[in-house]
Every structure is written in structure tokens, then in C-alpha cells.
């Protein structure tokens, strides 16, 4: 269900078609995408498959993961990333890892449930660490690998009521940089993409909580919260993030590593 005041179609300057790659330059590669059943993860899975990669569609939503995998010719891997054993059982032969899975909870620090804080760190920090610990040896052996961490503008900036999410994204930024330093000698790059608010179920589910936290009507959340700090006044489309992720796997970006790339509509220009 779309958020109040959210346009049903992209605004001026938005992409009108999802065509992530015209050439199958990733043929023979394997990509592992977490949270791949919807939103940014699904757009990435579709883009990497279109570029020729075999895609592991990792998600805890079994039916949705199977649907995406069937549509793109990928492999559905049903896993709860909050469980260490499940993460450690994921395929280890990926040449490309897209750490995308995440969750959100909005509350002041003094009211934030500790168990939810811990859960968010497990899914968004520990799981990426465990995935990379498992897949980097394969990348090193092949002298090529790409790690794309779907961070957030909240990996670079903070917002009130998002202590666990902001903490996790800042931690992911640090992990990404360490992997960049360690992987450089092995042909492996590691970068973060830092989108602002993207038109995804994760964002849509925040509307009521944001309204309560800020004491405003739900109809005002888009303008007063989601887009208040951006110069470009529209939500980002998932395919825009997927296109950037795909570009990080091209030969043109081989010298780019350890970076954080804002896709934030000018948020961090302030």
C-alpha cells in the first residue's frame, strides 16, 4: 500500500524502465543477494540476472523468494539472517555479495526495546560479516570479487528515533572499509551505497510509526520526514539503487573501493 501523498508514478527525472544491463557481462559469475524477495533486493536480483549472473535469492519469505528466483532463473535460498547457523549455511561460492537485508523500528532511545536493538544488529551487521567471512576465500581464490553493501544515508547521518538502524548502518560502513583494505590485493572491491528513502515495503511500513514519533498526521510524513532534507523531492526507485550496484561490478569501477556513494537526492549536501 503506497504512503499518503506518494505519487503512483515516478516524478520528473525518474527512470521509466528497469533495464539494468544490456550486455551479459556477468555471465559465469554468481551473485548472492540478501533480502532479495522485494524492494531493493529484488531489483538487484533482477538486474544481476539480466547481466548474466546466477543469483542466489536469499530471503526468509519462502514463497516470495521462490517467485523471484523462478522469474529470473535464480536459486531461492530461504534463511532467517538473525540465526547464525542459517547464515553460516548460505552458499560460499558467490563472486558478488549484495548485503541488503534489513529491518527497522522507530522509538526514542529510552523506550527502544533492547531485544529489537540486538536483532537489528544481528541481521544488519553480524550477518554481513558472517556472509563475507564465508565468501571471501572463494573470491580470493578467483582473484575477483565485488561486495556491495546497501547501506543508507543513515550510515553517514543520524535521525532521531532510529538508534538501532543508524548504529547498524554505521557499523556496516566500517566493515565495508575493512574488507576493501583486505581484499584489494586479491582483486576484491567493497563499497557502500547510501540511498535516502526508497519506495520499498520497509519505508511504507514506517509511516504510522513516524507519524506517532513526530506527532504529525500520517499524510504529512512524506513531505515533513522522508523528503524534508532532500533537494530532489521524490522517493528513490529500487531500480536506481540496483543500477548503481550493478555499475560497481563493471570494469569501469575496478579502482573504486572503500567508498560510500550517496544516492540521497542531495541530503548530505547540507
Amino acid at each position: 500500500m503506497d504512503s499518503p501523498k506518494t505519487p503512483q508514478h515516478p516524478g520528473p527525472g525518474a527512470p521509466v524502465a528497469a533495464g539494468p544491463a544490456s550486455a551479459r557481462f556477468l555471465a559465469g559469475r554468481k551473485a548472492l543477494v540478501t533480502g532479495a524477495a522485494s524492494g531493493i533486493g529484488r531489483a538487484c536480483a533482477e538486474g544481476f540476472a539480466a547481466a548474466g549472473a546466477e543469483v542466489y535469492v536469499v530471503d526468509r519469505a519462502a514463497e516470495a523468494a521462490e517467485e523471484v528466483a523462478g522469474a529470473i532463473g535464480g536459486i531461492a535460498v530461504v534463511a532467517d539472517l538473525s540465526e547464525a547457523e542459517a547464515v553460516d549455511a548460505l552458499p560460499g561460492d558467490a563472486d558478488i555479495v549484495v548485503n541488503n537485508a534489513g529491518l527497522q523500528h522507530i522509538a526514542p532511545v529510552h523506550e527502544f526495546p533492547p531485544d529489537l536493538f540486538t536483532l537489528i544488529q544481528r541481521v544488519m551487521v553480524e550477518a554481513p560479516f558472517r556472509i563475507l567471512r564465508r565468501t571471501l576465500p572463494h573470491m580470493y581464490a578467483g582473484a575477483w570479487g565485488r561486495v556491495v553493501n546497501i547501506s543508507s544515508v543513515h550510515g553517514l547521518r543520524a535521525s532521531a528515533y532510529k538508534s538501532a538502524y543508524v548504529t547498524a548502518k554505521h557499523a556496516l560502513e566500517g566493515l565495508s572499509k575493512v574488507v576493501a583494505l583486505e581484499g584489494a590485493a586479491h582483486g576484491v572491491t567493497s563499497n557502500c551505497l547510501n540511498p535516502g528513502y526508497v519506495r520499498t515495503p520497509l519505508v511504507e511500513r514506517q509511516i504510522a510509526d513516524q507519524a506517532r514519533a513526530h506527532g504529525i498526521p500520517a499524510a504529512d510524513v512524506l513531505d515533513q520526514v522522508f523528503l524534508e532534507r532532500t533537494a530532489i523531492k521524490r522517493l528513490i526507485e529500487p531500480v536506481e539503487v540496483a543500477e548503481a550496484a550493478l555499475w560497481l561490478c563493471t570494469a569501469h569501477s575496478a579502482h573504486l573501493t572503500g567508498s560510500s556513494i550517496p544516492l540521497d537526492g542531495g541530503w548530505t549536501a547540507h
Side-chain angles (χ1 to χ4, degrees), residues 154-178:
H154 286 114
L156 307 173
R157 298 287 190 273
S159 289
Y161 312 121
K162 294 186 174 184
S163 57
Y165 189 86
V166 171
T167 297
K169 290 302 188 183
H170 274 67
L172 184 62
E173 296 278 331
L175 175 63
S176 181
K177 289 177 172 62
V178 171

Side-chain angles (χ1 to χ4, degrees), residues 81 87 99 101-103 117-132 149 164-175:
L81 299 188
V87 179
N99 285 311
L103 63 155
F117 188 95
T118 300
L119 174 65
I120 288 172
Q121 308 315 307
R122 284 206 305 266
V123 172
M124 296 171 58
V125 182
E126 184 178 344
F129 160 73
R130 287 180 175 275
I131 289 168
L132 293 175
N149 297 300
Y165 189 86
V166 171
T167 297
K169 290 302 188 183
H170 274 67
L172 184 62
E173 296 278 331
L175 175 63

Side-chain angles (χ1 to χ4, degrees), residues 153-154 157-162 166 196-197 206 210 214 221-233 264-270:
V153 68
H154 286 114
R157 298 287 190 273
S159 289
Y161 312 121
K162 294 186 174 184
V166 171
Y197 287 101
Q206 291 183 46
Q210 289 280 11
H214 290 274
V221 169
L222 181 66
D223 291 335
Q224 294 187 25
V225 179
F226 292 168
L227 303 180
E228 191 271 331
R229 285 168 285 190
T230 66
I232 298 173
K233 299 298 184 183
D264 62 1
W267 185 328
T268 51
H270 289 285

Side-chain angles (χ1 to χ4, degrees), residues 18-153:
S22 57
R24 294 175 64 81
F25 68 96
L26 291 178
R29 303 289 189 191
K30 293 183 178 181
L32 186 151
V33 183
T34 66
S38 65
I40 294 171
R42 177 170 187 150
C44 287
E46 292 170 345
F48 281 96
E54 183 177 32
V55 180
Y56 293 118
V57 179
V58 180
D59 206 288
R60 67 177 184 173
E63 186 175 343
E66 292 283 0
E67 188 271 321
V68 173
I72 67 172
I75 300 169
V77 182
V78 180
D80 184 342
L81 299 188
S82 70
E83 299 176 358
E85 297 81 4
V87 179
D88 290 343
L90 293 176
D93 61 346
D95 307 293
I96 300 162
V97 168
V98 181
N99 285 311
N100 166 72
L103 63 155
Q104 181 65 275
H105 183 76
I106 297 169
V109 171
H110 66 283
E111 297 177 0
F112 209 101
D115 58 335
L116 273 177
F117 188 95
T118 300
L119 174 65
I120 288 172
Q121 308 315 307
R122 284 206 305 266
V123 172
M124 296 171 58
V125 182
E126 184 178 344
F129 160 73
R130 287 180 175 275
I131 289 168
L132 293 175
R133 184 176 183 273
R134 184 168 174 79
T135 55
L136 283 173
H138 170 77
M139 297 183 196
Y140 290 173
W144 191 93
R146 295 292 180 265
V147 178
V148 182
N149 297 300
I150 308 299
S151 181
S152 165
V153 68

